[in-house]
Structure formats: C-alpha cells, structure tokens
Amino acid sequence: MEQSSINAIKTLLVSFIAKDRESSVKLKNALNYLADISKNEQGVLRYEVFRSDNNELEYYVLETWSGERTLEKHLLQPHVTDFANQCKLWLQKPFSITPLAIPFKSEWLKPLVTNSISLN
C-alpha cells in the first residue's frame, strides 16, 4: 500500500435495511451504541447515523477516519465485529460499505461526532 493511501482520510457510507419494524428498533439501538463507542476511538473524524426519510427500515452510517490504519483498527475492534455478526439477524440482506471519494474540508468536522439519532 502506498504511503499516501495509508495517510489519506477515509470516508465510508454503510447502508442497512432492516427486515421489519422490530428489527429496525434493534438495529437503531445497536447503531447508536456502536456510534457511542466508535466516537471515542483514535482517528475518528466523523461518525453519524441516519435513517432514510423514505423508508423507516433503512439506515446509514457516514464515518470518516484520519487514515487507512485508523479505519482498519476500528474495523477489528470487538464492538464492530460483534455488531457485524449480530446485525445479520435484523437485515433483509447484508449491509453494504461504499468508500466515498469526496473532497475533504476541515469545516465539515463541526460537529466532530454525531452519536445518536432521535426517532419518534
């Protein structure tokens, strides 16, 4: 891996579609828990959880990391691997991870982390 690739900021969009409303509640709670823990990890620049306006079963995580190494370390954390295994029970299909190649602006870091979603 090239040195520039290792140090480059990494942004991922992770997509989830729950099987049903009960699974959606479980998924939402687990994603909020994951965000609460992940926001304290070294190298996290942004970690946000969203629910689709069009589909109450669809969730997204937008996460930005300071580099490839911090992202890889995050993906190996027990709270991430446990979540990845557990959420399979709640999803219509496996979650997808899309690396985003977007220009990065430091002002996007405010707020640094959004750790939960409020759904009524």
Side-chain angles (χ1 to χ4, degrees):
M1 186 177 304
E2 294 178 11
Q3 186 65 23
S4 61
S5 175
I6 292 172
N7 295 325
I9 290 173
K10 300 295 180 189
T11 299
L12 302 178
L13 180 64
V14 188
S15 305
F16 305 86
I17 302 175
K19 289 192 288 195
D20 51 42
R21 286 187 179 183
E22 181 181 339
S23 296
S24 179
V25 171
K26 291 176 183 178
L27 179 61
K28 177 191 77 168
N29 292 337
L31 286 170
N32 285 331
Y33 176 76
L34 186 63
D36 286 342
I37 294 173
S38 297
K39 73 177 185 178
N40 294 313
E41 288 183 52
Q42 183 178 356
V44 67
L45 301 176
R46 173 168 258 166
Y47 201 98
E48 297 179 274
V49 176
F50 300 91
R51 188 186 75 190
S52 171
D53 282 343
N54 300 327
N55 182 350
E56 67 182 23
L57 303 179
E58 197 168 340
Y59 292 85
Y60 300 93
V61 173
L62 180 64
E63 53 186 283
T64 302
W65 297 88
S66 61
E68 187 72 32
R69 288 187 179 141
T70 57
L71 173 58
E72 288 174 0
K73 186 175 179 184
H74 165 70
L75 295 174
L76 295 174
Q77 294 298 314
H79 59 272
V80 176
T81 58
D82 290 348
F83 169 81
N85 288 323
Q86 188 177 32
C87 78
K88 293 175 187 176
L89 302 172
W90 311 320
L91 301 178
Q92 291 179 18
K93 61 182 181 178
F95 62 86
S96 65
I97 300 174
T98 305
L100 301 178
I102 58 176
F104 183 80
K105 298 180 181 179
S106 61
E107 59 267 20
W108 294 350
L109 294 178
K110 298 172 187 163
L112 284 176
V113 176
T114 301
N115 63 359
S116 63
I117 53 178
S118 176
L119 304 174
N120 295 326

